[in-house]
Amino acid sequence: MTGLAFLIPIALGMGALGLATFFWAMKSGQYEDMDGAANRILIDEEEKD
């Protein structure tokens, strides 16, 4: 029973940390252009010197 007293707060803390990280990523624009990054990796651009 004492194990649950430690594990439940740790699990809630990890969930809160994950949620805070997700909201930070949303605020910083990590998910604004999901298709653009996938398309840019396929485009082979050669530098012209």
Side-chain angles (χ1 to χ4, degrees):
M1 190 68 176
T2 58
L4 288 177
F6 291 109
L7 292 177
I8 289 174
I10 290 172
L12 290 175
M14 290 176 67
L17 181 66
L19 189 62
T21 304
F22 174 72
F23 284 128
W24 170 79
M26 291 290 291
K27 186 177 179 181
S28 66
Q30 297 282 325
Y31 298 108
E32 287 184 3
D33 188 18
M34 297 295 286
D35 293 332
N39 290 333
R40 280 192 297 274
I41 200 167
L42 298 175
I43 297 172
D44 186 25
E45 294 182 11
E46 294 183 17
E47 293 184 19
K48 297 177 183 175
D49 292 329

